[in-house]
Amino acid sequence: LDKVASLKEATVSSARFDEDPYAGVMAAVKGIDWDAFGGRYVVLITDAGAIEGHDPLSGTGLDAQQVRLELQERGIALYALHLKTGAGKADHAHAAAQYKELSRNPNAPSPLYFPVDAGSVEQFGQLVDQLAGQITGQVKAASKGDMVPGSARTATATAPAAAPAASPTPEQAKAQMAAATDQVGRAMQLAWL
């Protein structure tokens, strides 16, 4: 929390609108001892597309698919919250494709990609609150041995949900996030068991 409190907005712009979120994700992947955790989550919040691995400005030399494979190898679920602000309008489709690829998870029916139209602070807050509440609720219940989505006692076969609409309503996005988080949590707990 001290590190988060010390964050400040950059005073200079980057060389391009696209940034290097893959470097941040890989810093988390490699900088944390994930073996100590049964629940493994990374939440990427961005308003820009990603610099591709072949670009000289890339800090990793990796693209979305390669970073996703690094996440999968460690059993980490990545959620991408994409703030679709007016400043990045020309980049939205390209960035969405990148983050859908990055956030694909074999235990979820669709990518863990959640766009926030027009960078809506209200919608963003609702999604963050919901995601944080679901994950912490699952962790608390699992630590007490309670039956939660993800426990062996609640595991059932479920049909994959339909792919989300290109631009879901805020309520649809919340419902999709809830269903995906339950399935990802179930898979993590079963893997731990």
Side-chain angles (χ1 to χ4, degrees), residues 12 19 28 53 76 90 100 125 133-134 147 166 180 184 186 188 191:
V12 295
E19 296 172 345
I76 301 168
K100 286 177 182 178
Q134 274 190 276
M147 184 167 31
V184 168
R186 177 181 306 118
M188 286 183 187

Side-chain angles (χ1 to χ4, degrees), residues 67-91:
V67 174
R68 179 180 50 77
L69 291 172
E70 292 283 343
L71 292 160
Q72 277 184 278
E73 185 177 313
R74 291 165 177 84
I76 301 168
L78 180 133
Y79 288 78
L81 277 67
H82 179 199
L83 308 176
K84 296 171 80 175
T85 61
K89 187 174 184 175
D91 189 53

Side-chain angles (χ1 to χ4, degrees), residues 52-64:
E52 294 293 348
H54 64 275
D55 191 296
L57 295 177
S58 171
T60 63
L62 303 175
D63 62 20

Side-chain angles (χ1 to χ4, degrees), residues 22 25-26 29-30 34 40 62-78 98-106:
Y22 301 154
V25 171
M26 289 307 298
V29 167
K30 292 183 175 183
W34 293 98
R40 301 171 183 180
L62 303 175
D63 62 20
Q65 182 180 17
Q66 293 164 316
V67 174
R68 179 180 50 77
L69 291 172
E70 292 283 343
L71 292 160
Q72 277 184 278
E73 185 177 313
R74 291 165 177 84
I76 301 168
L78 180 133
Q98 290 176 310
Y99 297 130
K100 286 177 182 178
E101 174 63 28
L102 181 66
S103 65
R104 278 190 5 215
N105 186 290

Side-chain angles (χ1 to χ4, degrees), residues 33 45 55 57 86 141 153 161 173-174:
D33 178 11
I45 302 168
D55 191 296
L57 295 177
R153 290 180 280 173
K174 286 170 60 177

Side-chain angles (χ1 to χ4, degrees), residues 2-185:
D2 290 340
K3 288 182 180 182
V4 170
S6 69
L7 291 176
K8 292 182 177 49
E9 182 177 346
T11 57
V12 295
S13 184
S14 54
R16 300 185 200 134
F17 189 77
D18 283 352
E19 296 172 345
D20 198 6
Y22 301 154
V25 171
M26 289 307 298
V29 167
K30 292 183 175 183
I32 296 173
D33 178 11
W34 293 98
D35 292 336
F37 304 102
R40 301 171 183 180
Y41 302 91
V42 169
V43 180
L44 172 64
I45 302 168
T46 184
D47 67 346
I51 294 171
E52 294 293 348
H54 64 275
D55 191 296
L57 295 177
S58 171
T60 63
L62 303 175
D63 62 20
Q65 182 180 17
Q66 293 164 316
V67 174
R68 179 180 50 77
L69 291 172
E70 292 283 343
L71 292 160
Q72 277 184 278
E73 185 177 313
R74 291 165 177 84
I76 301 168
L78 180 133
Y79 288 78
L81 277 67
H82 179 199
L83 308 176
K84 296 171 80 175
T85 61
K89 187 174 184 175
D91 189 53
H92 289 169
H94 176 69
Q98 290 176 310
Y99 297 130
K100 286 177 182 178
E101 174 63 28
L102 181 66
S103 65
R104 278 190 5 215
N105 186 290
N107 300 309
S110 58
L112 302 174
Y113 167 80
F114 300 95
V116 179
D117 287 331
S120 166
V121 173
E122 181 181 349
Q123 184 185 1
F124 171 71
Q126 290 173 358
L127 287 174
V128 168
D129 287 349
Q130 178 177 326
L131 181 59
Q134 274 190 276
I135 291 172
T136 57
Q138 287 178 4
V139 170
K140 285 178 185 177
S143 71
K144 292 191 278 184
D146 292 347
M147 184 167 31
V148 295
S151 71
R153 290 180 280 173
T154 61
T156 59
T158 56
S167 191
T169 67
E171 289 307 312
Q172 288 171 326
K174 286 170 60 177
Q176 289 168 356
M177 181 180 278
T181 302
D182 282 349
Q183 286 186 296
V184 168

